[in-house]
Amino acid sequence: MPKDNTLARENLLSARSLRYLHEIDLHGGVRAAADALAINGSVISRQVAQLERDHGVVLLERRGRRAVLTEIGLSLVEHFRESCRRDADMLAQLEDFRSLRRGRLGIGVGEGFVENLLATVLERFSLQFPDIVVELRSGATSEIIAMVRNDDVDLGLCAGGGSDPAIRARTFRAAQFCALVSPRHALAGERRIRFEQLRDQRLIFMPERFGAQQYLDAIIRAERLNLTPSYRCDLFSAAQAIAAAGLGVAFMSTDAARQYLDAGRLVALELEHPIAREFSSQAIRRVGRRLSPAAEFLWRHLVEAMQRRWAAAPSKQGE
């Protein structure tokens, strides 16, 4: 072992610099990263430049007006994230050994799931772990998958999405995917409609990152239709309000619109299309992540609740 530790110290990777690289990658640039961290952008630039000098590599390159990470920069970011995951796993183990029951549990959840499913599961969870703080973060399907993949939350519950090798999912048949209209709408008495009947209606779409919109887009492609929405909004509650006012037709599961349906402010029209009948929901966690006892408890009861509620065999096994 060398007596002079100077070189060893110089070769150590700066955790602060690696975190700055992570933030640059996460937010899409130095300025955006600095804004997110509430620091001056020059601080980040100096740290990254020092890391480049220490190791003789280029970590950022210019693409137009933006600075993006090079291949080696992205490798360092992944190294940082993996280190954070290992640290989190070790801290969870220490937590178990100390038999502590305090802490935090993060759940990414799509609109429409909290009231109809999570509330029942959380009641049991709160009795078992009264001192655990539960943080609910909402988002579209792609956003919730990203939260779970990046360990921003422990678990996710959302509409069914595409496959991701970093995500372990239990997928279930969801509540019915429908067109939603005001009781005063001309189609309100139909109860079941073909999608072509909506061709001339004012339609309400969600952004493409939403699972419900992805199913809707798949139906439109299958029907070979070219439709332009009258509204596009990123909240199911906003889409419901617009539809309830008689201004358009919204699309989502009956669970997501349960309050409006129960209040008689919206009518659900079943879509006669096989893709609509395939609408699914999923509980997700990151592959390889060791969950805390509290998170494992919630995961198990969440999956059990989904199985009881929708009585569907999961498309992905491996509890």
Side-chain angles (χ1 to χ4, degrees), residues 288-318:
R289 176 168 184 174
R290 182 181 182 277
L291 296 179
S292 67
E296 281 287 2
F297 178 93
L298 185 61
W299 170 263
R300 183 171 68 255
H301 286 86
L302 180 59
V303 170
E304 290 174 357
M306 294 177 76
Q307 289 173 324
R308 289 194 303 270
R309 185 176 178 83
W310 293 306
S315 64
K316 292 188 180 180
Q317 300 292 337

Short mmCIF file of all heavy atoms in Angstrom, two decimals, residues 288-318:
data_model
loop_
_atom_site.label_atom_id
_atom_site.label_comp_id
_atom_site.label_asym_id
_atom_site.label_seq_id
_atom_site.Cartn_x
_atom_site.Cartn_y
_atom_site.Cartn_z
N GLY A 288 -34.50 -5.36 -8.41
CA GLY A 288 -33.29 -5.37 -7.60
C GLY A 288 -33.33 -4.51 -6.37
O GLY A 288 -32.41 -4.56 -5.54
N ARG A 289 -34.38 -3.70 -6.20
CA ARG A 289 -34.43 -2.84 -5.01
C ARG A 289 -34.96 -3.63 -3.82
O ARG A 289 -35.97 -4.31 -3.90
CB ARG A 289 -35.33 -1.63 -5.26
CG ARG A 289 -35.48 -0.78 -4.00
CD ARG A 289 -36.11 0.56 -4.25
NE ARG A 289 -36.13 1.36 -3.04
CZ ARG A 289 -36.52 2.63 -2.98
NH1 ARG A 289 -36.90 3.24 -4.10
NH2 ARG A 289 -36.52 3.30 -1.86
N ARG A 290 -34.26 -3.52 -2.72
CA ARG A 290 -34.68 -4.16 -1.48
C ARG A 290 -35.58 -3.19 -0.74
O ARG A 290 -35.15 -2.16 -0.26
CB ARG A 290 -33.47 -4.51 -0.62
CG ARG A 290 -33.81 -5.22 0.68
CD ARG A 290 -32.54 -5.49 1.47
NE ARG A 290 -32.82 -6.21 2.69
CZ ARG A 290 -33.22 -5.65 3.81
NH1 ARG A 290 -33.40 -4.33 3.86
NH2 ARG A 290 -33.46 -6.37 4.90
N LEU A 291 -36.85 -3.54 -0.64
CA LEU A 291 -37.81 -2.66 0.02
C LEU A 291 -37.74 -2.80 1.53
O LEU A 291 -37.39 -3.86 2.06
CB LEU A 291 -39.23 -3.00 -0.45
CG LEU A 291 -39.56 -2.77 -1.93
CD1 LEU A 291 -40.99 -3.18 -2.22
CD2 LEU A 291 -39.33 -1.31 -2.32
N SER A 292 -38.09 -1.74 2.23
CA SER A 292 -38.19 -1.78 3.67
C SER A 292 -39.36 -2.67 4.07
O SER A 292 -40.26 -2.96 3.25
CB SER A 292 -38.40 -0.37 4.22
OG SER A 292 -39.68 0.11 3.82
N PRO A 293 -39.40 -3.14 5.33
CA PRO A 293 -40.56 -3.95 5.76
C PRO A 293 -41.89 -3.23 5.54
O PRO A 293 -42.87 -3.86 5.16
CB PRO A 293 -40.28 -4.18 7.24
CG PRO A 293 -38.80 -4.11 7.37
CD PRO A 293 -38.37 -3.06 6.37
N ALA A 294 -41.91 -1.92 5.76
CA ALA A 294 -43.15 -1.16 5.56
C ALA A 294 -43.56 -1.18 4.09
O ALA A 294 -44.73 -1.37 3.76
CB ALA A 294 -42.97 0.27 6.05
N ALA A 295 -42.58 -0.96 3.19
CA ALA A 295 -42.89 -0.96 1.75
C ALA A 295 -43.31 -2.35 1.28
O ALA A 295 -44.21 -2.49 0.45
CB ALA A 295 -41.68 -0.46 0.97
N GLU A 296 -42.66 -3.40 1.81
CA GLU A 296 -43.04 -4.77 1.45
C GLU A 296 -44.46 -5.06 1.91
O GLU A 296 -45.23 -5.71 1.20
CB GLU A 296 -42.07 -5.77 2.08
CG GLU A 296 -40.75 -5.91 1.36
CD GLU A 296 -40.85 -6.66 0.04
OE1 GLU A 296 -41.98 -7.05 -0.35
OE2 GLU A 296 -39.81 -6.84 -0.60
N PHE A 297 -44.82 -4.59 3.10
CA PHE A 297 -46.17 -4.76 3.62
C PHE A 297 -47.19 -4.12 2.68
O PHE A 297 -48.20 -4.72 2.31
CB PHE A 297 -46.26 -4.16 5.02
CG PHE A 297 -47.62 -4.23 5.65
CD1 PHE A 297 -47.97 -5.29 6.48
CD2 PHE A 297 -48.57 -3.23 5.43
CE1 PHE A 297 -49.23 -5.35 7.06
CE2 PHE A 297 -49.83 -3.28 6.00
CZ PHE A 297 -50.17 -4.36 6.82
N LEU A 298 -46.90 -2.88 2.29
CA LEU A 298 -47.82 -2.16 1.41
C LEU A 298 -47.90 -2.82 0.04
O LEU A 298 -48.98 -2.95 -0.54
CB LEU A 298 -47.39 -0.70 1.27
CG LEU A 298 -48.35 0.19 0.47
CD1 LEU A 298 -49.71 0.24 1.14
CD2 LEU A 298 -47.79 1.59 0.33
N TRP A 299 -46.76 -3.24 -0.50
CA TRP A 299 -46.73 -3.92 -1.81
C TRP A 299 -47.62 -5.17 -1.79
O TRP A 299 -48.46 -5.37 -2.67
CB TRP A 299 -45.30 -4.29 -2.17
CG TRP A 299 -45.17 -5.19 -3.36
CD1 TRP A 299 -45.03 -6.54 -3.36
CD2 TRP A 299 -45.18 -4.81 -4.76
NE1 TRP A 299 -44.95 -7.03 -4.64
CE2 TRP A 299 -45.04 -5.98 -5.51
CE3 TRP A 299 -45.29 -3.58 -5.40
CZ2 TRP A 299 -44.99 -5.97 -6.90
CZ3 TRP A 299 -45.26 -3.57 -6.80
CH2 TRP A 299 -45.10 -4.75 -7.53
N ARG A 300 -47.46 -5.98 -0.75
CA ARG A 300 -48.21 -7.23 -0.68
C ARG A 300 -49.72 -6.97 -0.59
O ARG A 300 -50.52 -7.60 -1.32
CB ARG A 300 -47.75 -8.03 0.54
CG ARG A 300 -48.42 -9.40 0.67
CD ARG A 300 -47.79 -10.23 1.76
NE ARG A 300 -48.04 -9.67 3.10
CZ ARG A 300 -47.13 -9.04 3.81
NH1 ARG A 300 -45.90 -8.87 3.34
NH2 ARG A 300 -47.43 -8.57 5.01
N HIS A 301 -50.11 -6.02 0.26
CA HIS A 301 -51.53 -5.76 0.41
C HIS A 301 -52.11 -5.00 -0.77
O HIS A 301 -53.30 -5.14 -1.10
CB HIS A 301 -51.77 -4.99 1.71
CG HIS A 301 -51.62 -5.84 2.93
ND1 HIS A 301 -50.42 -6.08 3.55
CD2 HIS A 301 -52.54 -6.55 3.64
CE1 HIS A 301 -50.59 -6.87 4.58
NE2 HIS A 301 -51.86 -7.18 4.66
N LEU A 302 -51.27 -4.21 -1.44
CA LEU A 302 -51.72 -3.52 -2.64
C LEU A 302 -52.04 -4.52 -3.74
O LEU A 302 -53.10 -4.45 -4.39
CB LEU A 302 -50.64 -2.54 -3.11
CG LEU A 302 -50.91 -1.72 -4.36
CD1 LEU A 302 -52.16 -0.87 -4.19
CD2 LEU A 302 -49.71 -0.85 -4.68
N VAL A 303 -51.15 -5.48 -3.95
CA VAL A 303 -51.38 -6.51 -4.98
C VAL A 303 -52.60 -7.35 -4.64
O VAL A 303 -53.43 -7.66 -5.50
CB VAL A 303 -50.12 -7.38 -5.14
CG1 VAL A 303 -50.41 -8.59 -6.01
CG2 VAL A 303 -48.98 -6.57 -5.74
N GLU A 304 -52.73 -7.71 -3.36
CA GLU A 304 -53.89 -8.51 -2.95
C GLU A 304 -55.19 -7.75 -3.17
O GLU A 304 -56.19 -8.33 -3.62
CB GLU A 304 -53.75 -8.89 -1.48
CG GLU A 304 -52.65 -9.92 -1.21
CD GLU A 304 -52.45 -10.15 0.28
OE1 GLU A 304 -53.12 -9.48 1.10
OE2 GLU A 304 -51.61 -11.01 0.63
N ALA A 305 -55.17 -6.45 -2.88
CA ALA A 305 -56.38 -5.64 -3.07
C ALA A 305 -56.75 -5.54 -4.54
O ALA A 305 -57.92 -5.60 -4.91
CB ALA A 305 -56.17 -4.24 -2.48
N MET A 306 -55.73 -5.41 -5.41
CA MET A 306 -56.00 -5.33 -6.84
C MET A 306 -56.54 -6.66 -7.36
O MET A 306 -57.44 -6.69 -8.20
CB MET A 306 -54.71 -4.95 -7.59
CG MET A 306 -54.24 -3.54 -7.27
SD MET A 306 -52.69 -3.10 -8.09
CE MET A 306 -53.26 -2.82 -9.76
N GLN A 307 -56.02 -7.77 -6.83
CA GLN A 307 -56.52 -9.08 -7.25
C GLN A 307 -57.97 -9.27 -6.85
O GLN A 307 -58.79 -9.77 -7.62
CB GLN A 307 -55.65 -10.18 -6.65
CG GLN A 307 -54.26 -10.28 -7.26
CD GLN A 307 -53.38 -11.27 -6.53
OE1 GLN A 307 -53.45 -11.40 -5.31
NE2 GLN A 307 -52.53 -11.95 -7.26
N ARG A 308 -58.29 -8.85 -5.64
CA ARG A 308 -59.68 -8.99 -5.18
C ARG A 308 -60.61 -8.07 -5.96
O ARG A 308 -61.72 -8.46 -6.33
CB ARG A 308 -59.78 -8.66 -3.69
CG ARG A 308 -59.16 -9.68 -2.76
CD ARG A 308 -59.61 -9.43 -1.32
NE ARG A 308 -59.29 -8.08 -0.88
CZ ARG A 308 -58.15 -7.75 -0.28
NH1 ARG A 308 -57.23 -8.67 -0.07
NH2 ARG A 308 -57.94 -6.51 0.12
N ARG A 309 -60.14 -6.87 -6.21
CA ARG A 309 -61.02 -5.87 -6.84
C ARG A 309 -61.34 -6.22 -8.28
O ARG A 309 -62.49 -6.09 -8.72
CB ARG A 309 -60.37 -4.48 -6.78
CG ARG A 309 -61.24 -3.36 -7.31
CD ARG A 309 -60.57 -2.02 -7.11
NE ARG A 309 -61.38 -0.95 -7.65
CZ ARG A 309 -62.40 -0.36 -7.03
NH1 ARG A 309 -62.73 -0.76 -5.83
NH2 ARG A 309 -63.08 0.61 -7.59
N TRP A 310 -60.34 -6.63 -9.02
CA TRP A 310 -60.57 -6.85 -10.45
C TRP A 310 -60.52 -8.33 -10.84
O TRP A 310 -60.75 -8.66 -12.00
CB TRP A 310 -59.56 -6.04 -11.25
CG TRP A 310 -59.82 -4.57 -11.10
CD1 TRP A 310 -61.00 -3.94 -11.33
CD2 TRP A 310 -58.92 -3.56 -10.65
NE1 TRP A 310 -60.88 -2.59 -11.07
CE2 TRP A 310 -59.61 -2.33 -10.66
CE3 TRP A 310 -57.57 -3.57 -10.27
CZ2 TRP A 310 -59.03 -1.14 -10.28
CZ3 TRP A 310 -57.00 -2.38 -9.89
CH2 TRP A 310 -57.70 -1.18 -9.89
N ALA A 311 -60.20 -9.20 -9.87
CA ALA A 311 -60.27 -10.65 -10.10
C ALA A 311 -59.65 -11.04 -11.43
O ALA A 311 -60.26 -11.74 -12.23
CB ALA A 311 -61.71 -11.13 -10.03
N ALA A 312 -58.41 -10.54 -11.67
CA ALA A 312 -57.73 -10.83 -12.94
C ALA A 312 -56.38 -11.45 -12.64
O ALA A 312 -55.69 -11.05 -11.71
CB ALA A 312 -57.54 -9.55 -13.74
N ALA A 313 -56.00 -12.40 -13.45
CA ALA A 313 -54.68 -13.00 -13.31
C ALA A 313 -53.64 -12.02 -13.79
O ALA A 313 -53.77 -11.48 -14.89
CB ALA A 313 -54.59 -14.29 -14.13
N PRO A 314 -52.57 -11.75 -13.02
CA PRO A 314 -51.55 -10.81 -13.44
C PRO A 314 -50.80 -11.30 -14.66
O PRO A 314 -50.53 -12.47 -14.81
CB PRO A 314 -50.61 -10.70 -12.22
CG PRO A 314 -50.85 -11.95 -11.47
CD PRO A 314 -52.27 -12.35 -11.72
N SER A 315 -50.46 -10.37 -15.54
CA SER A 315 -49.74 -10.73 -16.76
C SER A 315 -48.27 -10.93 -16.50
O SER A 315 -47.57 -11.49 -17.32
CB SER A 315 -49.93 -9.64 -17.82
OG SER A 315 -49.37 -8.43 -17.38
N LYS A 316 -47.79 -10.44 -15.34
CA LYS A 316 -46.38 -10.64 -14.99
C LYS A 316 -46.32 -11.22 -13.59
O LYS A 316 -46.83 -10.64 -12.65
CB LYS A 316 -45.58 -9.34 -15.04
CG LYS A 316 -45.44 -8.78 -16.44
CD LYS A 316 -44.49 -7.61 -16.44
CE LYS A 316 -44.31 -7.03 -17.85
NZ LYS A 316 -43.40 -5.91 -17.88
N GLN A 317 -45.72 -12.37 -13.43
CA GLN A 317 -45.62 -13.01 -12.15
C GLN A 317 -44.28 -12.69 -11.52
O GLN A 317 -43.46 -11.98 -12.06
CB GLN A 317 -45.78 -14.52 -12.32
CG GLN A 317 -47.12 -14.92 -12.93
CD GLN A 317 -48.29 -14.65 -12.00
OE1 GLN A 317 -48.12 -14.56 -10.80
NE2 GLN A 317 -49.47 -14.51 -12.54
N GLY A 318 -44.03 -13.30 -10.37
CA GLY A 318 -42.74 -13.11 -9.71
C GLY A 318 -42.88 -12.23 -8.51
O GLY A 318 -42.19 -11.23 -8.41
#
